[in-house]
Structure formats: C-alpha cells, structure tokens
Amino acid sequence: MHPKVSPLLSGTKVIPVLVIENADDAQPLAQCLVDNGLPVLEVTLRSHEALRAIEIIANQVEGAVIGVGSILTEMQLNAAQSAGGWFGVSPGVSERLLQALKLNDWPFLPGASTLSEIMILRDAGFMEQKLFPANIVGGVPMLRAISGPVSDVSFCPTGGITPDTADDYLIEDNVFAIGGSWIAPVDLVRAKDWHEIGRRARNAANLGRQWRTAV
C-alpha cells in the first residue's frame, strides 16, 4: 500500500489549491493561510515560479504542510520533492507516472475521474485518491455511487467545489478532505488581499467541523 496523505493533515478538512505566479507572494500567502487555520496547502505547478515558491514556504513558514499539485511527469515528481513538498497531487495518472510512483515512497494523491481509473489506482496501492474534476464527473452522487464497490478507497474531491457545496462533500464517509481554489484565487493573490484571503480561510477552516475527527 502506498503511503497515505491523510496522516499529514492532522484533521484538516480543506486544502486550498494555489497558483502562485510571483514567488514574492509565497511567504505572506502561506503565512496568512496557516495563521487562519489552513496549514495544509497545495501549490500547483502551474506557474514558472511554483518551485521557488515551494522552497520559500518550506524554509520560511513554520507549520505549513506543503502539497505539490498538477504533477504530470517523473521529472516534476522529483523536482517537487527536492523543493520541499510534503506530498504530491496529480489531476490524473499516466502509465509512465504511475510506474514512477510505484518506485517512490513519497505520499501521493493521484487523480481519478472514473471507476476504472479508481480501480487501477487501488490495485497499485493507492487507497486515497483525488476525485477530479469533482463537480463535472458527478460530485456527491458519484461519491455515493462508488462507495459500495470501492468502499475501502477515500477521496479528496477537488474541482468546482464552493463554500456552498463544501459541506455536502465533507459529510460523505468516503471523503477525508476537499480541495478548493475559492479560498485564495489568483486575482486576490495578485492584489495581495491577505485580509480577504484570511477571512475566506477562517470560514473554510470551520467547514465540516461537526464531522471532524483526528486522523
């Protein structure tokens, strides 16, 4: 069985999904999220500054648990680990990436969008997966439908989740966390609006509190 991501979350239920275009924003953004109750972050490799941003957070923000998202290749997998990531995330898994993951004991959350993909990842030892893009592939009804045949797999749904729908996901037994881009969207990061991001983070940290248990 591949190492799970959930033990790193320490009960955290919401993971902000981040695109950091300017590495200078990395420290204040991460500090804002950690200070407001969201210590687990997914920094996506969707900008040229992403790896540098990860290094800055790893070195300067105490308490930050860094996930590295949008990993597509073995090269990115290795770079994410070297930059200081605690775990990796992918939108899906190619055959080549899956082979690299099998040889790597880094906690990893591979993406799946169909039952066949979920079963392939399950056979490879991944009992925690990212359902992506969650709202498009069926959302909560999808999670409920697959909870029977793959009851031993847990998910972190990501993609299209909003503050209004977050609790609908978090109440499901086969959901251990959710990912959300609404907390620190690119426009707020560009504007350095840490006040608004902090407010959103505090609200997100309270989501699902009634179902929260220590992992």
Side-chain angles (χ1 to χ4, degrees):
M1 183 181 299
H2 201 83
K4 293 183 176 181
V5 168
S6 59
L8 302 175
L9 307 188
S10 299
T12 298
K13 291 290 186 179
V14 181
I15 303 173
V17 179
L18 311 173
V19 177
I20 302 177
E21 298 175 324
N22 185 339
D24 290 340
D25 293 330
Q27 190 278 335
L29 172 60
Q31 193 67 61
C32 174
L33 293 167
V34 171
D35 289 347
N36 286 282
L38 295 182
V40 185
L41 322 171
E42 181 188 334
V43 181
T44 64
L45 298 180
R46 300 181 193 174
S47 77
H48 297 299
E49 297 275 274
L51 289 172
R52 176 60 182 148
I54 293 164
E55 292 175 350
I56 290 172
I57 296 170
N59 291 321
Q60 298 183 18
V61 184
E62 185 176 355
V65 176
I66 311 165
V68 183
S70 301
I71 292 176
L72 305 178
T73 67
E74 183 177 6
M75 182 178 296
Q76 289 179 325
L77 177 69
N78 295 332
Q81 290 180 267
S82 298
W86 289 44
F87 65 92
V89 186
S90 66
V93 178
S94 66
E95 184 175 343
R96 183 172 295 181
L97 179 59
L98 184 57
Q99 291 305 313
L101 291 173
K102 288 179 179 178
L103 300 175
N104 193 305
D105 62 358
W106 196 41
F108 200 90
L109 196 61
S113 61
T114 68
L115 189 52
S116 293
E117 292 170 351
I118 291 166
M119 290 173 62
I120 289 170
L121 290 171
R122 181 182 178 278
D123 286 349
F126 292 91
M127 308 310 291
E128 294 180 342
Q129 302 175 22
K130 169 182 173 178
L131 183 69
F132 180 83
N135 67 323
I136 293 176
V137 302
V140 171
M142 169 71 163
L143 289 161
R144 290 177 179 171
I146 62 179
S147 64
V150 287
S151 59
D152 53 353
V153 180
S154 295
F155 297 92
C156 178
T158 305
I161 299 176
T162 69
D164 293 332
T165 62
D167 273 341
D168 295 336
Y169 285 90
L170 290 170
I171 198 173
E172 295 301 313
D173 291 338
N174 58 348
V175 171
F176 69 90
I178 60 173
S181 58
W182 82 86
I183 302 157
V186 171
D187 60 335
L188 291 182
V189 177
R190 286 173 180 166
K192 305 183 191 302
D193 193 345
W194 314 131
H195 176 78
E196 175 61 16
I197 291 173
R199 184 191 69 80
R200 295 185 182 201
R202 288 191 300 275
N203 289 340
N206 287 323
L207 290 169
R209 188 175 295 277
Q210 58 265 50
W211 304 291
R212 185 171 303 175
T213 56
V215 175

